[in-house]
Every structure is written in C-alpha cells, then in structure tokens.
Amino acid sequence: MNDKDNQVTQEDEKQDSHLQSSQSSSSSIIIDFERDEHPHDWPSYRKWIVLLTLIPPVFLMPLSSTIIAPAVDTISTEFQVGSTVTGPLAVSLFLVTYSIGPLLLGPLSELVGRVPVLQGGNLFFLVFNLAGGFAKSFPQLLVFRLLSGFGASATLAVGSSTIGDCFRPEERGLGLALLNMGPVLGSCLGPIAGAYLTDYTSWRWAFHATSIFGGVAILVGICLARETYAPVLLRSKKDKLQSQPYYKDATLRTRFDMDDANKPDNESLAHLYKRTLLRSIRLLLTQPIVQVLALYYGYLYGLVYLVLSTFSTLWTTQYHMSTSRGSLNYLAPCIGYLLGAQTCAIIADKVYKYLKRNPEFRLPLMIPASLLIPIGLLIYGWTAEAQTHWIFPDLGIALPLMGATIIFQCTNAYLLETYSVYAASANGGVYILRGLTGFGFPLFSPPMYRALGYGWGNSVLGLTALVIGCPIPWFLWRYGEGLRRRSSWAEQ
C-alpha cells in the first residue's frame, strides 16, 4: 500500500472515530490545528501578505499625530487660542487615546480576533479624522483628535501581536523591524508634510490627506487581511464542526478551552469581555516585568515626543529658517529610526539564535542602545545651544532616536515571547504609562527650554535617561527568568 492509500485510511479511521464519539451526548472532542492550519505553519508568502495589511495603517497613525505640529501656531491664531500650553493639546490629545487605546483594544482582539479590531479601528479613525478637517472651533478639533486617536490605536494594539501569531520566535526580527519602521517614519515625515501643507495650502489639508490615506488602508485590509489569532481560529473551526450532523450531540472543545480551567462553561459575552478587558491592568499591577518595561518605554516615548515637538522651533528661532525648510531637518531623526530598525532586523534574530532561545536573549541589544540616548541628547543640546552648523544637531538627535527604536523593538519581542497568547494585553499594560508621558512631556518642553536652554535642558533629559534606562536591561537579564517562572501568565 502506498503513502497516499495510508493517508486515506488514516483519514477514514479518524472520521470513524469522530462519528463514534458523536453518538454519545457525553462525548468530548478536542479540536486542534491540523497540518498547515496554524499561522506558524502558513506559507511564507501568506505571512508577508498579512504583514503588508498592517504597514499602511501603522505608518499612517503616527504620521497623523505629528502632521499638525507645524500648524499649531496657525490653528491657535485661527481659533484665537492664546495659551502656549493649550495650542499643543491638538497634538497631545491624539497621543492620549492613541497610547491608552490598546488597554481596551488589545484584550478585545484576544476576544473577537485581530482583524475586526484592526478594521473597526481604522474606520473609527477615518470618520473622526475626516471630521477634524471640518472643525469649526478649537474644542471641536480637540474632541475629534481625541476620538480619532482611539481609532488609530487599533494598529498599535494588534500590530506586534499579529507578528507573534504568524512568525515563530526566531523569525520575528525582520517582521518587527519592518512593522516598527512605520511608526518611526510616520512620526518624522508627518511634520515635513504638515509644514509644506501649512505653508502652501491650509492646515485642514493635513486632515484631508490623511483621511484619503486611511481610506486606502481600509481597502487594502478588506482585500488582504486574514485572521491570525490561534484561539479565535480554533473557536471558528469548532463552531463550523458543531453545525455538522456528525457532531451535533458531541461536546467540542479547543485546547485553549481546556487550558482555561477558571472559565465558566456558559460564560456570557459581557463576563468574557470584562475578564479580557481587565487583563492589561492586572498584568501592569502584578507583573514586575511589565512594570519595569512600562516605566522605561513610557519615559523614552515621552522623551521622543518632547524632542520632536520642539524640533521645528529650533530651526525657526535659533537658525531663522522658514517652517517648510526647517522641517526638512526631521529627516535626521528619520535616519536614526531607520538605522535602529535595520540594526534589529539584521542582528536581533542572529543574537537570539546564537545565544539561546529564551526571552532574555532579546535584551543584549538594549544595553548599547540605552547608552546612545544620553550621548545623543548631549550632542544635540549643546551644539544647538552654540548654533553650530545644522549637521551637528541633526547628528545628535539621530542617535537617541536610533537607540529608542532598538529598545522599543526589543521590548515588543521580549513581551511577545514572555506572555505569548496574552502579548496584546501585556503590551496594553505597557502602553498605559506611555500614553501619559506622550501626552504630558510635550506640554512642559517649551517652558523647560526657555528656562534652561537647549544645552542644560537636554543634559537633564540625558542624565535621567542614564539613571532610568541603563540598569533595566541588566535587571531583566539577571532576574527575568526567575520572574517568569513565578508568573502564572508568562510562557514557561
């Protein structure tokens, strides 16, 4: 008998077994993935198509957060907003819901799947971002920015988790690097686009242009998106089998149902959503790994937006450039972001494979990256203070953003492997503090630079980065494995 006959016989026996099991109402059948059904076993082209559906919205949403930064003065003048703090709220309020949204949407994606959350969030963003372009007052604009930021956060909630769904741990470096290139490029190119739109058209076209881009991203998702979350895929498979006559009297369960021993048999949708929604908060309050990474990630994220929010002011006040010409200097942090992303893409997986397959071996790159941040801030601050040639402040700002990019990607990879199925909730916990710092840091940056100047102001930031940031990779390297072993949430 050849291999094909053997396979047919095995399938017949399997079907007979299922038929026999279904004869009794007390029978229980465990539903699991078969060959090539798990996203890890999909063909490479299918995984990269899934990644392709993420890149446009992942690029667009940070671009939308910074594209109106050069237009803050114009918006304040049009709506007669006098305070130097109130004007930047148009930028900062978007970041509040953009960063805190994953607290709600990350666990929700573990309930209903990645695709509904991603597409629903993109549509929510499109509606309120489009409305922002037609705002008739400053309070209207702030409300629309707040709501559009929540929709934009869907990509943040499911992006890195989708990479974890599709790619095995040793394959994730390039995918995470490409995914993280979107936010860093978007946040740097946004002010350049916004400056030219403000100078040559109107600040409202910043909203119109991003809305057009958002519509294209939704269409790409409709055509190419595919669900990747394993528990949702198995639940869908179970529901399809349950509707067949062979299984109508059988009890079908997935292996994830079996793993969750504390879940009631007839759990209501409201209870299920409540249980998953609170998971991010529980992880933040109970997991030291999430707590230290939230502290570090939050500080760096706020620092990045603090520096970027005042970067255009440097060129218009210290170097007396026009808004559009000065915005071209945003290419410097963009280059720093790209270097950081490519460093992770080339080196991260190689280091991980060479050392050992434990989550802690995602950390070595964070050590030199954490040193780039204070060094770069010192160069940027004192060369800007001395008004040296523009290349030196640009070089200075590229270094901390290169280091921050490496740290962001290593953090995402570490959480993916530490919390596995609950990675979206773990990231949601980290993003809580990130949202607060992303909102607050840009608000106090103008008074800080006025009081201390660029030199001492960036020296204070660099010293803080040195004290907070450099010990954290060493701490997790030394104690990370022990913390994982004592956690009921972590992947052992």
Side-chain angles (χ1 to χ4, degrees):
M1 185 180 293
N2 55 33
D3 292 339
K4 184 175 181 180
D5 292 336
N6 278 329
Q7 184 177 355
V8 171
T9 302
Q10 291 172 2
E11 292 296 328
D12 290 342
E13 291 174 352
K14 182 178 179 182
Q15 183 67 30
D16 291 342
S17 175
H18 286 174
L19 283 169
Q20 292 169 9
S21 298
S22 66
Q23 300 304 313
S24 171
S25 61
S26 62
S27 62
S28 180
I29 300 174
I30 307 303
I31 305 300
D32 207 340
F33 291 109
E34 297 179 14
R35 184 175 52 189
D36 296 335
E37 286 185 345
H38 194 289
H40 283 177
D41 300 322
W42 286 354
S44 294
Y45 77 86
R46 188 180 298 170
K47 298 179 182 181
W48 289 103
I49 288 175
V50 170
L51 180 60
L52 179 63
T53 65
L54 296 173
I55 290 176
V58 161
F59 168 78
L60 170 64
M61 304 313 174
L63 183 143
S64 300
S65 74
T66 59
I67 196 170
I68 67 167
V72 166
D73 291 338
T74 304
I75 294 171
S76 298
T77 301
E78 180 173 331
F79 291 130
Q80 299 179 348
V81 177
S83 172
T84 57
V85 174
T86 306
L89 281 176
V91 177
S92 295
L93 279 179
F94 184 97
L95 293 175
V96 172
T97 46
Y98 177 66
S99 297
I100 297 181
L103 174 66
L104 305 175
L105 299 181
L108 181 60
S109 75
E110 294 168 359
L111 174 62
V112 301
R114 313 297 193 199
V115 172
V117 170
L118 178 63
Q119 289 293 85
N122 289 344
L123 182 60
F124 198 85
F125 163 80
L126 176 60
V127 170
F128 289 103
N129 188 70
L130 189 61
F134 297 98
K136 300 300 183 183
S137 66
F138 193 66
Q140 276 187 14
L141 179 63
L142 294 183
V143 170
F144 292 144
R145 288 286 284 174
L146 196 69
L147 293 172
S148 64
F150 180 77
S153 70
T155 58
L156 198 62
V158 306
S160 59
S161 300
T162 301
I163 298 295
D165 293 341
C166 293
F167 294 89
R168 300 179 190 278
E170 63 274 12
E171 302 170 341
R172 292 172 184 165
L174 180 58
L176 286 172
L178 292 174
L179 193 68
N180 280 278
M181 281 175 60
V184 298
L185 285 174
S187 59
C188 287
L189 295 180
I192 299 176
Y196 278 92
L197 288 170
T198 302
D199 275 357
Y200 295 103
T201 58
S202 164
W203 63 267
R204 295 182 184 273
W205 264 101
F207 292 90
H208 301 335
T210 50
S211 296
I212 293 171
F213 197 151
V216 172
I218 291 173
L219 291 176
V220 170
I222 290 173
C223 296
L224 300 178
R226 182 163 181 166
E227 184 56 55
T228 61
Y229 190 51
V232 170
L233 291 173
L234 279 184
R235 188 167 68 235
S236 177
K237 181 179 179 180
K238 179 186 72 173
D239 292 341
K240 289 179 180 178
L241 289 176
Q242 192 75 70
S243 64
Q244 296 180 9
Y246 293 143
Y247 301 98
K248 65 178 181 179
D249 296 324
T251 301
L252 303 184
R253 300 175 67 87
T254 72
R255 59 186 176 92
F256 296 101
D257 295 332
M258 302 299 292
D259 290 341
D260 197 350
N262 295 322
K263 186 180 72 174
D265 291 335
N266 296 312
E267 187 174 25
S268 68
L269 182 63
H271 185 276
L272 183 60
Y273 183 73
K274 179 181 178 181
R275 181 170 57 88
T276 56
L277 177 62
L278 296 177
R279 191 179 293 144
S280 291
I281 298 176
R282 291 178 62 188
L283 287 170
L284 179 62
L285 295 178
T286 63
Q287 303 295 298
I289 291 174
V290 177
Q291 290 164 356
V292 297
L293 288 177
L295 174 66
Y296 195 19
Y297 202 123
Y299 173 75
L300 287 184
Y301 191 78
L303 180 65
V304 165
Y305 268 90
L306 183 155
V307 173
L308 290 180
S309 68
T310 57
F311 196 50
S312 60
T313 307
L314 168 68
W315 304 108
T316 56
T317 58
Q318 298 281 90
Y319 287 82
H320 308 292
M321 297 180 182
S322 66
T323 301
S324 53
R325 184 186 171 199
S327 70
L328 294 175
N329 290 281
Y330 277 95
L331 291 173
C334 195
I335 292 171
Y337 276 138
L338 286 173
L339 290 175
Q342 292 308 308
T343 299
C344 278
I346 296 170
I347 298 176
D349 284 346
K350 292 182 180 180
V351 171
Y352 180 72
K353 291 177 184 178
Y354 178 77
L355 292 175
K356 194 177 181 182
R357 293 184 178 181
N358 277 341
E360 283 69 43
F361 290 93
R362 293 293 185 186
L363 300 174
L365 277 179
M366 291 178 67
I367 296 171
S370 66
L371 297 174
L372 290 177
I373 295 168
I375 292 171
L377 286 172
L378 289 174
I379 295 173
Y380 166 58
W382 289 107
T383 55
E385 185 77 21
Q387 297 184 33
T388 62
H389 189 273
W390 58 264
I391 192 67
F392 296 109
D394 281 351
L395 175 63
I397 201 171
L399 291 178
L401 296 182
M402 176 182 175
T405 302
I406 294 172
I407 291 168
F408 292 161
Q409 290 186 209
C410 290
T411 298
N412 286 340
Y414 186 71
L415 290 173
L416 272 176
E417 292 172 32
T418 300
Y419 294 99
S420 187
V421 175
Y422 303 117
S425 295
N427 276 299
V430 169
Y431 293 153
I432 296 173
L433 188 58
R434 160 182 166 157
L436 297 176
T437 57
F439 168 74
F441 278 30
L443 297 181
F444 71 73
S445 57
M448 182 192 73
Y449 282 125
R450 280 198 301 269
L452 300 177
Y454 285 95
W456 286 112
N458 283 289
S459 296
V460 170
L461 297 176
L463 179 62
T464 309
L466 187 68
V467 172
I468 292 178
C470 293
I472 286 178
W474 293 103
F475 172 82
L476 290 177
W477 179 268
R478 176 68 179 83
Y479 300 105
E481 183 175 0
L483 292 172
R484 283 190 294 111
R485 292 186 182 280
R486 288 195 292 270
S487 171
S488 60
W489 296 93
E491 185 78 13
Q492 303 302 327

